[in-house]
Amino acid sequence: MRFIHTSDWHLGKSLEGHSRLEEQEKFCEEFIEIVNENNIDMVIISGDIYDTSNPPAQAEKLFYKTVSKLADNGNRCVLIISGNHDNPERLAAVTPLAHEQGIIILGYPLSFTQEAKYKNFEIIESKEGCTKINIKGEKVTLITLPYPSERRLNEVIGSSDNDEERQKTYSEKIGNIFRSLEENFSEDDIKICVSHLFVVGGESTDSERPIQLGGSLLVDKKDLPSKAQYIALGHLHKPQKVSQRLNAYYSGSPLQYSKDERAYTKGAYIVDISAKENPTINPIYFKNYKPIEVFKCIGIEEAIKICEENKNRDIWSYFEINTDEVISQSDIKKMKELLKDIIEIRPIISSEYEHQNVDIKEKSMVELFKEFYTFSRGLEPKGELMDLFLDIISEEGDTQDETN
Ligand SMILES: [Mn+2]
């Protein structure tokens, strides 16, 4: 049996306010092609389908269109779990339509599907956290743990009403769940685990929202299900193997979602797996549909030159400009006319300028704010923002009047 492991699509995610749907559409098209060309029997998506719990309709439409093509009306099994960004209820709401096509969507840790027979596979058994499927005569047991937030986890454990169980750390609780789910594995099965977790030692990037503030919801490697032949993880956006001992992989996100992800080639894993044997795991890489570039330049002239040189490339760009003076509006305009989709122009002012004396008393509050904003953000504050600022300073004035 051959499956593909992907995760963290984050459909609807933008880059500092710039929509990335166009790139996401390109990825979905390429992914469908890869799946068809490589004779994939099963698609596993390990969570974070969307970027927010309330995704835009366009993102939902893209997801439905894509998974429906992947499932090919019951020809191929598609299994999806929720991640920390997804609303489990909403993600799984499409189940009545999805189930007909052989698409399994599991929102909560205890979610399960229904037995059913499709063209090329059959769901032979389904219960909380475990799905058994027959694909081309091979029996596949999947143990699943959709993103277990602390609350959702306690709900699972709460049902056992055991005080001792409640005292355990997050990782221990996860470990116990996996150990009991592993009891569903039998030697003649293909054994796969699917989850959305932050494993200790995994390398993170800027685009993952922390699973919890303070980062206490970490899972130790020893608490991963060691009997699984492959552990398909979601959450971290850099593709990586997180255990020496186990085949525990993060497929990473399909797109570079923050500028610190520029160094990683994005892809998925294609896994050839049969019972009792070590699987063969091969990465497959996606195109970089619209690269993120960070340009570090000395002086505005160099920045303008870079814009000129790159004007025909479809890229997102960040500029860090070493300068000893404020970058003028006309220079910013010139840059933006040459090169589209500049995300940020950040002047790095030499220390000499920082210590220069500016007589603030000669300027109005509004002038100072405008200068500061332009200086720090690389663009002039918009009308709305100015209105808000004026509101705030006038309110400040009012309060002062009252107290005085
Ligand atoms: Mn994610």
Side-chain angles (χ1 to χ4, degrees):
M1 197 273 281
R2 172 178 280 185
F3 70 87
I4 191 164
H5 164 212
T6 175
S7 75
D8 295 84
W9 289 11
H10 288 266
L11 302 179
K13 186 173 178 66
S14 61
L15 184 63
E16 325 221 2
H18 300 255
S19 167
R20 304 196 70 183
L21 259 166
E22 219 174 286
E23 294 160 84
Q24 289 167 338
E25 272 164 23
K26 285 183 186 162
F27 152 69
C28 287
E29 273 168 37
E30 190 186 6
F31 188 72
I32 294 164
E33 252 172 60
I34 288 173
V35 165
N36 286 332
E37 280 169 9
N38 289 279
N39 300 313
I40 302 291
D41 299 307
M42 179 177 196
V43 177
I44 296 176
I45 314 178
S46 306
D48 284 357
I49 307 306
Y50 299 118
D51 192 51
T52 61
S53 56
N54 188 19
Q58 259 183 308
E60 287 183 307
K61 199 169 149 191
L62 179 59
F63 173 58
Y64 300 151
K65 197 172 86 179
T66 306
V67 287
S68 171
K69 281 188 181 159
L70 292 170
D72 190 18
N73 209 11
N75 276 320
R76 187 182 290 120
C77 180
V78 179
L79 184 127
I80 298 152
I81 62 161
S82 68
N84 57 313
H85 285 247
D86 300 308
N87 173 343
E89 204 102 27
R90 179 143 180 197
L91 182 72
V94 71
T95 292
L97 291 173
H99 186 70
E100 279 176 34
Q101 304 180 45
I103 301 162
I104 304 167
I105 305 176
L106 305 170
Y108 289 103
L110 295 180
S111 295
F112 59 97
T113 179
Q114 303 292 318
E115 285 150 35
K117 198 172 165 96
Y118 302 96
K119 278 185 202 154
N120 283 342
F121 69 99
E122 187 178 354
I123 302 170
I124 48 175
E125 200 186 323
S126 182
K127 54 183 175 179
E128 293 178 349
C130 175
T131 308
K132 292 190 186 235
I133 303 171
N134 239 326
I135 299 179
K136 292 180 179 166
E138 290 184 283
K139 201 167 127 197
V140 185
T141 298
L142 293 131
I143 57 172
T144 50
L145 187 60
Y147 172 59
S149 65
E150 203 155 32
R151 187 171 51 83
R152 286 173 214 165
L153 195 63
N154 285 332
E155 277 164 14
V156 176
I157 291 159
S159 60
S160 73
D161 216 18
N162 181 335
D163 258 2
E164 204 180 310
E165 197 64 27
R166 287 170 178 279
Q167 298 299 314
K168 289 186 173 136
T169 66
Y170 178 78
S171 186
E172 285 167 335
K173 288 175 193 171
I174 298 282
N176 286 345
I177 291 178
F178 279 140
R179 275 181 286 278
S180 78
L181 288 177
E182 275 185 310
E183 286 169 20
N184 294 296
F185 285 148
S186 74
E187 266 319 295
D188 303 327
D189 299 350
I190 290 170
K191 296 170 280 190
I192 301 169
C193 169
V194 186
S195 193
H196 193 95
L197 304 162
F198 192 167
V199 177
V200 176
E203 251 186 90
S204 59
T205 65
D206 283 344
S207 66
E208 299 128 12
R209 183 194 305 151
I211 246 165
Q212 199 200 35
L213 288 176
S216 62
L217 299 194
L218 287 167
V219 177
D220 288 324
K221 285 168 196 160
K222 67 170 171 45
D223 288 317
L224 293 173
S226 59
K227 287 178 187 145
Q229 291 166 283
Y230 187 92
I231 304 171
L233 296 169
H235 181 55
L236 298 179
H237 291 182
K238 178 188 176 178
Q240 56 198 296
K241 182 176 194 270
V242 278
S243 165
Q244 289 285 324
R245 192 170 54 95
L246 307 172
N247 291 321
Y249 285 84
Y250 282 102
S251 66
S253 58
L255 264 62
Q256 294 171 346
Y257 278 126
S258 58
K259 63 175 192 253
D260 71 331
E261 287 172 52
R262 278 171 298 146
Y264 318 130
T265 307
K266 299 294 190 172
Y269 292 109
I270 294 183
V271 184
D272 286 299
I273 193 164
S274 53
K276 297 176 195 162
E277 273 171 48
N278 208 18
T280 309
I281 301 153
N282 287 305
I284 185 150
Y285 299 108
F286 306 140
K287 288 185 196 117
N288 193 351
Y289 314 98
K290 184 165 177 167
I292 299 175
E293 300 272 9
V294 177
F295 298 113
K296 298 185 181 190
C297 9
I298 297 166
I300 184 71
E301 291 76 22
E302 195 188 343
I304 292 171
K305 201 172 139 231
I306 288 170
C307 292
E308 175 72 44
E309 284 165 359
N310 288 280
K311 66 180 180 193
N312 295 322
R313 290 179 66 210
D314 190 18
I315 55 172
W316 301 112
S317 57
Y318 290 78
F319 282 84
E320 287 174 18
I321 307 172
N322 267 289
T323 177
D324 48 15
E325 52 198 46
V326 173
I327 298 170
S328 72
Q329 277 310 304
S330 66
D331 283 336
I332 290 170
K333 201 170 157 227
K334 203 184 273 176
M335 285 177 72
K336 291 188 169 172
E337 274 167 5
L338 284 167
L339 184 64
K340 66 180 181 75
D341 298 328
I342 297 178
I343 305 282
E344 185 187 56
I345 299 170
R346 193 154 67 92
I348 298 171
I349 303 291
S350 65
S351 52
E352 215 186 297
Y353 179 78
E354 277 176 42
H355 294 120
Q356 198 179 310
N357 276 329
V358 182
D359 193 354
I360 20 181
K361 280 183 190 153
E362 279 179 16
K363 296 189 174 173
S364 76
M365 192 78 136
V366 173
E367 273 176 325
L368 283 168
F369 176 73
K370 262 192 186 165
E371 272 183 17
F372 171 75
Y373 191 90
T374 315
F375 169 78
S376 61
R377 302 289 295 269
L379 50 121
E380 241 186 71
K382 286 195 186 120
E384 240 174 80
L385 189 72
M386 274 323 290
D387 289 347
L388 184 68
F389 178 73
L390 288 170
D391 270 0
I392 293 167
I393 54 170
S394 69
E395 264 174 44
E396 280 286 301
D398 292 349
T399 348
Q400 270 179 11
D401 287 343
E402 276 166 34
T403 38
N404 289 345

